[in-house]
Amino acid sequence: MCSRREADEWIALGWVKVNGQVAEMGVQVLPTDRIEVDKAAQGFQEQRVTILLHKPMGYVSGQAEDGHTPAVALINPRTHWRDDPSRNRFSPPQLRGLAPAGRLDIDSVGLLVLTQDGRVARQLIGEDSTVDKEYLVRVVYQAPGQAMPRHPSERSAPLQEIDERDPVSTNVQAVFPPELLDRLRHGLSLDGQPLKPAKVDWQNPEQLRFVLTEGKKRQIRRMCELVGLKVVGLKRIRIGRVTLGNLPVGQWRYLSSHEQF
């Protein structure tokens, strides 16, 4: 129904009852107890927004770090996509509690979801999330052993801006062994844990398409390093059933009421 933070708010506002009595914070309940939530909570949730941002390079997903600006700073009336099909209008309260549901590295671009709705956050980044995410990844081939695997906290070399219309200059596909492509799809481990199967195919001779159902830190770059590939550009184009589409770089729109991840 909600996130833990929202549940705390509902209890504090007196919207939760246990066996007909207004619940206090921390009250213990049993499977036989009846828990009721006031309809005001539903109205409160419906006012919460989810925003889709085309994150450009140079912005961090979450809190400001190392002097870099957080992506939420781009959410303002000037950057609202004029072709947004939603009827929502921007208001400052929509920034309260607006947080990224997932992350993109500072030099990765594409679809970033920011939400006030705990249900959306749980669906996208909860432990039991099954929502897949699709990426376009430009690579160069260095052969196994030349691309040294990095710890997830280490900074990789900066990426390039990625655009599907860029001309192909290097035919990586022609020299990359097919058996290593199979390993990218299934058979790699990170941090001592085997990775879930992934869909990995060539989009063009120097660009791979990844579809993942998990999101370990710097996962795609580290996967590629294990098979001798170096990522030079990364763009997220889809989360579940929601695509980046024609949303311009640095602009945002609302998740429409008829859209679902």
Side-chain angles (χ1 to χ4, degrees), residues 51-194:
I51 284 173
L52 311 175
L53 170 69
H54 189 160
K55 189 187 90 66
M57 299 180 76
Y59 288 83
V60 293
S61 298
Q63 298 296 320
E65 57 181 71
D66 301 329
H68 298 296
T69 306
V72 72
L74 289 169
I75 311 303
N76 59 66
R78 297 184 303 279
T79 53
H80 187 193
W81 187 32
R82 65 180 182 182
D83 293 331
D84 185 348
S86 168
R87 296 182 179 180
N88 288 4
R89 292 190 176 184
F90 176 79
S91 63
Q94 293 170 357
L95 297 175
R96 179 179 175 268
L98 189 67
R103 67 189 303 274
L104 278 175
D105 293 335
I106 188 170
D107 50 359
S108 298
V109 302
L111 182 58
L112 181 67
V113 176
L114 301 110
T115 187
Q116 294 179 313
D117 193 332
R119 296 169 299 177
V120 172
R122 180 173 179 178
Q123 182 185 11
L124 298 187
I125 58 176
E127 292 182 2
D128 55 351
S129 174
T130 58
V131 176
D132 63 353
K133 302 169 183 67
E134 183 175 348
Y135 303 81
L136 298 180
V137 185
R138 183 177 293 137
V139 293
V140 295
Y141 184 45
Q142 297 179 305
Q146 294 183 26
M148 295 299 293
R150 299 172 182 268
H151 188 273
S153 62
E154 288 186 64
R155 287 288 186 189
S156 303
L159 302 187
Q160 304 168 6
E161 193 82 45
I162 189 169
D163 191 321
E164 295 91 313
R165 296 167 295 181
D166 288 347
V168 173
S169 59
T170 307
N171 193 341
V172 183
Q173 183 179 4
V175 297
F176 187 63
E179 60 270 21
L180 293 183
L181 184 64
D182 289 337
R183 286 199 68 204
L184 279 175
R185 291 169 175 157
H186 194 206
L188 296 177
S189 296
L190 292 177
D191 306 323
Q193 298 291 326

Side-chain angles (χ1 to χ4, degrees), residues 197-217:
K199 295 179 182 177
V200 187
D201 298 288
W202 289 103
Q203 184 80 5
N204 65 45
E206 65 177 6
Q207 199 172 111
L208 286 163
R209 170 183 165 271
F210 276 72
V211 179
L212 305 178
T213 55
E214 58 189 337
K216 294 183 181 294
K217 192 170 184 180

